[in-house]
């Protein structure tokens, strides 16, 4: 049975290393017969959560009028969510963190999701990516019925595009192919 897969590419660089891994995951997931959409978070207008809690009194409608309502609905409707980010000081980048924070408006509606994580870093030590993966896991821990399905570690990739020559490139495709 086909699944709805939403890939949230946090990379600020189009065709950056984590973004390329998203494309490979997508290629595999499409080949496996899934409905797949990739959202490049940096191309969306998403403002920071201001903790005004307008959403609490308005049925999940945020006071900010930007692209987040559209992305949030896609997250609610998806069966599978892929979170991808380059490592920034051992954490996720600001673009993806902003999006995650803004899910507060309807976070209880994001339920029973399969999660996949993709992270890239210049450091060759895979351990350097663990805090970033833990950020993803921290978010998923707040999602009722969340299941972690897989992680792609793109270690030792700094210059744009070098991930194509790494084991992570094939792993991303294979992981996408495994979505069933």
């Amino acid at each position: 049975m086909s699944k709805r897969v939403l890939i949230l590419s946090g990379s600020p660089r189009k065709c950056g290393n984590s973004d390329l891994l998203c494309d490979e995951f997508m290629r595999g997931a499409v080949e496996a017969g899934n409905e797949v959409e990739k959202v490049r978070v940096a191309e969306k207008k998403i403002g920071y959560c201001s903790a005004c809690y307008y959403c609490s009194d308005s049925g999940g409608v945020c006071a900010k009028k930007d692209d987040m309502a559209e992305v949030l609905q896609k997250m609610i409707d998806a069966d599978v969510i892929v979170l991808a980010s380059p490592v920034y000081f051992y954490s996720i980048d600001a673009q993806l963190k902003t999006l995650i924070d803004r899910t507060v408006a309807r976070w209880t509606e994001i339920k029973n999701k399969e999660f996949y994580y993709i992270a890239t870093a210049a450091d060759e030590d895979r351990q350097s990516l663990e805090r970033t993966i833990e950020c993803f896991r921290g978010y998923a821990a707040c999602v009722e019925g969340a299941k972690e399905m897989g992680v792609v570690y793109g270690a030792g990739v700094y210059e744009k595009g070098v991930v194509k020559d790494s084991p992570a490139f094939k792993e991303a495709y294979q992981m996408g192919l495994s979505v069933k």
Side-chain angles (χ1 to χ4, degrees):
M1 183 173 172
S2 177
K3 292 187 178 178
R4 289 170 295 182
V5 179
L6 178 63
I7 301 170
L8 298 172
S9 175
S11 178
R13 294 191 299 186
K14 188 171 187 172
C15 297
N17 291 313
S18 60
D19 196 46
L20 289 171
L21 292 179
C22 288
D23 291 342
E24 280 302 288
F25 185 100
M26 181 167 60
R27 186 170 71 89
V30 167
E31 283 183 29
N34 298 290
E35 177 187 324
V36 184
E37 181 177 1
K38 181 177 97 169
V39 173
R40 284 199 22 79
V41 179
E43 293 175 357
K44 297 292 185 184
K45 182 180 183 223
I46 300 175
Y48 303 109
C49 178
S50 57
C52 68
Y53 295 104
Y54 175 87
C55 57
S56 296
D57 300 323
S58 64
V61 175
C62 183
K64 296 188 183 298
K65 304 304 173 210
D66 58 14
D67 295 331
M68 188 57 202
E70 171 195 348
V71 175
L72 186 51
Q73 188 61 55
K74 291 174 190 288
M75 293 176 75
I76 292 166
D77 294 341
D79 300 305
V80 175
I81 297 175
V82 179
L83 300 175
S85 177
V87 172
Y88 276 47
F89 297 99
Y90 300 105
S91 188
I92 59 176
D93 67 8
Q95 292 83 351
L96 192 57
K97 177 63 171 135
T98 299
L99 181 143
I100 288 170
D101 289 349
R102 285 287 301 285
T103 65
V104 73
R106 296 175 65 193
W107 72 275
T108 59
E109 295 176 60
I110 304 171
K111 296 178 182 178
N112 304 314
K113 307 299 177 195
E114 294 179 358
F115 280 94
Y116 292 85
Y117 310 130
I118 296 172
T120 56
D123 195 328
E124 293 180 15
D125 183 0
R126 191 169 139 163
Q127 187 62 35
S128 298
L129 291 90
E130 282 303 326
R131 286 190 188 144
T132 302
I133 300 304
E134 284 304 314
C135 288
F136 295 152
R137 288 178 176 141
Y139 176 65
C142 298
V143 173
E144 183 182 323
K147 267 179 73 176
E148 181 176 323
M149 302 302 289
V151 180
V152 176
Y153 293 89
V157 296
Y158 178 68
E159 295 298 325
K160 187 176 179 179
V162 298
V163 75
K164 290 179 181 179
D165 297 323
S166 79
F169 200 67
K170 184 176 181 180
E171 290 169 15
Y173 169 73
Q174 291 296 328
M175 199 169 292
L177 201 56
S178 75
V179 177
K180 303 216 189 293

